[in-house]
Amino acid sequence: MSKEQKRTELYELGEFRLIERLIGSFDASQKDTIKGVGDDAAVISCGNSDCMVVTTDLLLEGIHFDLTYFPLKHLGYKSVVVNLSDIYAMNAKPGQITVSIGVSKRFSVEELDELYAGIKLACERYGVDLVGGDTSSSMTGLTISVTAIGRAKADEIVYRSGAKINDLICVTGNLGAAYMGLQLLEREKRIFQSNNAAQPKLEGYDYILERILKPEARAGVIDKIRELGVKPTSMIDISDGLSSELLHICKNSNVGCRIYMEKIPIDEQTAKMASEFNIEPIVAALNGGEDYELLFTVPLSGFQAIDGLDGVHIIGHVVDAMLGAYLVPPTGEDIQITAQGWNALRKE
Ligand code: ADP
Ligand code: MG
């Protein structure tokens, strides 16, 4: 490398700016490529009003999962579910997956059987077919890459870019649980490492543990609100934390937002674990990630249909881009929303 050649560290850009830089010069040349990079899944026209949606995710041992507490069967299940979540976030129905693995010789055949038992369970639960993949040896642990393919009518697909001023902002389920489950597992791992005789104390926290170890994708919620005559204007799944995903919707839709602190759904176990860690539950909900809930906007006219609907919470509304993105606490000043969610390339 010549002396003048500039070297930019990955953390200087961060994950999203890196992706933008790498793929910024790629133009779509195929007329059936409807949406390329930049949403939860790519959208490809199938020639008539039908579309195919495609998404892929890469899970690396030591980065995305720790096998000291992550059962292989759960890991198989989760690696499928996180991809299906991106398909549902487009308002599409998943149909097929491919699964590629890289395995070091540390793993036995029986262990990989376990991984695939979890993959099979997810396929059965969500009605998708495993149609291919690839298998390779690896120098370092386990790598899993899943690609999911789904279908939808072109006019039913919901992008990140359709939010309009005055729309209601909604989330499914509750937030921050997976993050607090992870904190609990990491704490017990540290205790075990310093004292091999210690028994992990996990009682009473089954729900938050399940949210990190065996998450579910939100199938069917959008169908339910559709039956009530409401269609989301924008949607994204919450993998990197509510703050980060809200900012994606705001940026892609060129709008701002107001969300209300007391409206953000947080489970009791999440709040209890957060207090043990001296973390504000709202911080876990905003920045935690791995919730795999859906964040979506609906027109204000959908209020009556959505208000009080089981498993759906109205947390705020869309405003003009000039007004920015803010969290409104019960008292005191509004807090600007910043993305502190998962950034794979942050400086250690
Ligand atoms: P999600 O969190 O929904 O899985 P990501 O944040 O991982 O989405 O990715 C954002 C967008 O960037 C997606 O459209 C994804 O397909 C695309 N993308 C991510 N990494 C790459 C890459 N290395 N090359 C091309 N496209 C990428
Ligand atoms: Mg997503």
Side-chain angles (χ1 to χ4, degrees), residues 146-173:
V146 177
T147 296
I149 299 164
R151 283 190 181 264
K153 296 275 176 214
D155 60 356
E156 290 190 344
I157 294 180
V158 179
Y159 296 92
R160 295 176 178 179
S161 55
K164 301 277 179 301
I165 294 171
N166 292 332
D167 280 356
L168 301 170
I169 300 172
C170 308
V171 287
T172 60

Side-chain angles (χ1 to χ4, degrees), residues 124-138:
E124 288 166 356
R125 161 83 176 73
Y126 290 92
V128 300
D129 296 338
L130 172 66
V131 294
D134 198 12
T135 306
S136 168
S137 58
S138 130

Side-chain angles (χ1 to χ4, degrees), residues 49-242:
S49 65
D50 289 331
C51 287
M52 203 167 79
V53 299
V54 185
T55 180
T56 195
D57 256 311
L58 181 63
L59 299 176
L60 301 181
E61 183 178 355
I63 303 282
H64 300 98
F65 57 89
D66 183 334
L67 290 176
T68 53
Y69 53 70
F70 220 119
L72 280 162
K73 189 172 176 182
H74 287 56
L75 181 62
Y77 191 88
K78 180 171 175 173
S79 56
V80 176
V81 164
V82 301
N83 278 276
L84 302 186
S85 178
D86 278 321
I87 299 284
Y88 291 119
M90 304 301 291
N91 196 24
K93 299 274 177 294
Q96 291 82 17
I97 57 163
T98 64
V99 177
S100 300
I101 54 169
V103 270
S104 71
K105 56 180 187 250
R106 202 179 93 224
F107 292 88
S108 68
V109 173
E110 289 72 20
E111 284 173 318
L112 296 182
D113 281 345
E114 274 296 290
L115 180 74
Y116 272 73
I119 292 173
K120 184 154 190 245
L121 197 63
C123 285
E124 288 166 356
R125 161 83 176 73
Y126 290 92
V128 300
D129 296 338
L130 172 66
V131 294
D134 198 12
T135 306
S136 168
S137 58
S138 130
M139 301 289 282
T140 51
L142 180 62
T143 299
I144 308 168
S145 174
V146 177
T147 296
I149 299 164
R151 283 190 181 264
K153 296 275 176 214
D155 60 356
E156 290 190 344
I157 294 180
V158 179
Y159 296 92
R160 295 176 178 179
S161 55
K164 301 277 179 301
I165 294 171
N166 292 332
D167 280 356
L168 301 170
I169 300 172
C170 308
V171 287
T172 60
N174 61 72
L175 302 175
Y179 179 75
M180 291 320 307
L182 179 64
Q183 299 314 305
L184 172 59
L185 288 167
E186 288 284 337
R187 180 181 77 187
E188 296 307 311
K189 180 186 162 186
R190 282 192 300 273
I191 293 171
F192 183 74
Q193 280 173 338
S194 61
N195 171 14
N196 279 2
Q199 287 297 313
K201 287 201 192 71
L202 305 171
E203 306 80 44
Y205 288 113
D206 47 323
Y207 177 68
I208 59 172
L209 291 171
E210 193 171 306
R211 289 297 301 260
I212 184 72
L213 296 175
K214 192 171 175 288
E216 300 292 350
R218 290 292 172 195
V221 177
I222 301 307
D223 289 343
K224 202 157 83 181
I225 70 161
R226 194 72 206 253
E227 283 162 22
L228 301 168
V230 182
K231 186 190 169 203
T233 49
S234 70
M235 182 152 60
I236 188 168
D237 74 325
I238 305 180
S239 50
D240 297 342
L242 176 64

Side-chain angles (χ1 to χ4, degrees), residues 5-13 21:
Q5 210 164 1
K6 184 171 184 286
R7 178 187 160 92
T8 310
E9 300 302 332
L10 295 175
Y11 67 78
E12 291 178 47
L13 290 187
R21 175 180 165 129

Side-chain angles (χ1 to χ4, degrees), residues 22-40:
L22 295 179
I23 52 88
S25 66
F26 286 74
D27 292 322
S29 65
Q30 300 290 329
K31 67 176 187 320
D32 51 1
T33 304
I34 298 181
K35 177 76 195 177
V37 170
D39 217 298
D40 291 292

